[in-house]
Amino acid sequence: MRTRMTALTGITAAITAGLLVGAVPAQAAVVKLSQGHVDAVDVAFEDGEFEISVHDETVDPDVERDPADVIFVAKPEAAVTVPDDPAYAFLGAPGATVHILPEVQDENLLWAGLATEELESGVFVGDSVRIRFTRVNGPDGFSIFVSDPVGAPNVLVDSEDGLPDVITRPVGDHMHLNWAFERAGTYRIKVDVTGRLAATGERVTSDPVWLTFKVKS
């Protein structure tokens, strides 16, 4: 009896091992973020390498997420009308609908920022890094802009006038911007970060990540 039980145990162990070898690793669930504060690009630097994550403060406690596991949602309430002002021509024709996740917090919408708060001074030349927007796949134009002290737009990224576009940020910093989408649909935005090391002059660049936005009409 003991011999038989040992044999059966061995067979069971072999089957289990075979199943484990062939198993597909569990995938993280995709998280949809549609309201509250989030840093869509949160930059860290550790062991000589950049890392880009999503800093999600829509939950308590806040968490860092892999951009591949996040869909940023612009709800229908994000839709506004393009002003009849030449300064806003990059958004489309006056009177057209554009969807904007705003620079100033609206508690009903996603408030998306860029963060370099984890980067220390003295590591990079000029104590700054460059966040590069290198590609946009979507149904229409995408742009990022901020408003100057008198309310005029300062365009930082515009997918319709050629990419890459670069936003240079100081270390230890955090900022919010207007994320503008000219038509409802899904946008995938490719981003990386680059900086030059103060100690050696070597330029280091992150692996690219893709940010996914779902814009609802």
Side-chain angles (χ1 to χ4, degrees):
M1 178 64 73
R2 183 181 297 273
T3 302
R4 179 171 174 79
M5 287 297 292
T6 301
L8 287 173
T9 301
I11 292 171
T12 302
I15 293 172
T16 302
L19 290 173
L20 290 175
V21 169
V24 177
Q27 299 295 312
V30 172
V31 176
K32 294 183 178 181
L33 305 177
S34 62
Q35 187 171 334
H37 179 238
V38 61
D39 291 319
V41 178
D42 187 19
V43 183
F45 187 74
E46 190 172 350
D47 297 327
E49 295 184 348
F50 280 115
E51 180 179 349
I52 300 174
S53 61
V54 174
H55 185 197
D56 179 7
E57 293 189 16
T58 70
V59 293
D60 188 15
D62 52 299
V63 297
E64 297 287 339
R65 302 189 187 276
D66 185 334
D69 299 332
V70 176
I71 296 177
F72 303 101
V73 178
K75 297 192 292 186
E77 293 86 343
V80 298
T81 299
V82 177
D84 188 5
D85 181 337
Y88 290 91
F90 66 96
L91 294 176
T97 297
V98 62
H99 306 262
I100 296 180
L101 296 177
E103 174 183 3
V104 178
Q105 186 171 18
D106 179 334
E107 293 186 355
N108 294 316
L109 299 174
L110 196 63
W111 193 34
L114 307 177
T116 58
E117 291 169 300
E118 296 185 56
L119 302 182
E120 298 180 358
S121 62
V123 177
F124 301 99
V125 171
D127 276 338
S128 66
V129 297
R130 291 156 50 91
I131 301 172
R132 305 190 302 186
F133 293 75
T134 61
R135 186 173 177 181
V136 175
N137 296 332
D140 211 326
F142 161 75
S143 56
I144 292 177
F145 67 98
V146 293
S147 299
D148 69 15
V150 297
N154 177 19
V155 183
L156 305 177
V157 176
D158 187 349
S159 68
E160 295 181 308
D161 69 358
L163 295 174
D165 283 335
V166 175
I167 300 177
T168 300
R169 299 307 304 158
V171 302
D173 182 68
H174 176 264
M175 74 177 302
H176 283 273
L177 325 91
N178 299 291
W179 304 68
F181 307 86
E182 295 178 27
R183 187 181 303 179
T186 299
Y187 293 75
R188 299 192 71 232
I189 301 164
K190 190 177 184 181
V191 179
D192 66 25
V193 178
T194 185
R196 191 176 296 279
L197 297 178
T200 64
E202 176 190 1
R203 179 166 295 282
V204 289
T205 301
S206 72
D207 291 334
V209 300
W210 287 90
L211 308 178
T212 301
F213 287 81
K214 177 67 174 179
V215 181
K216 297 186 175 181
S217 59

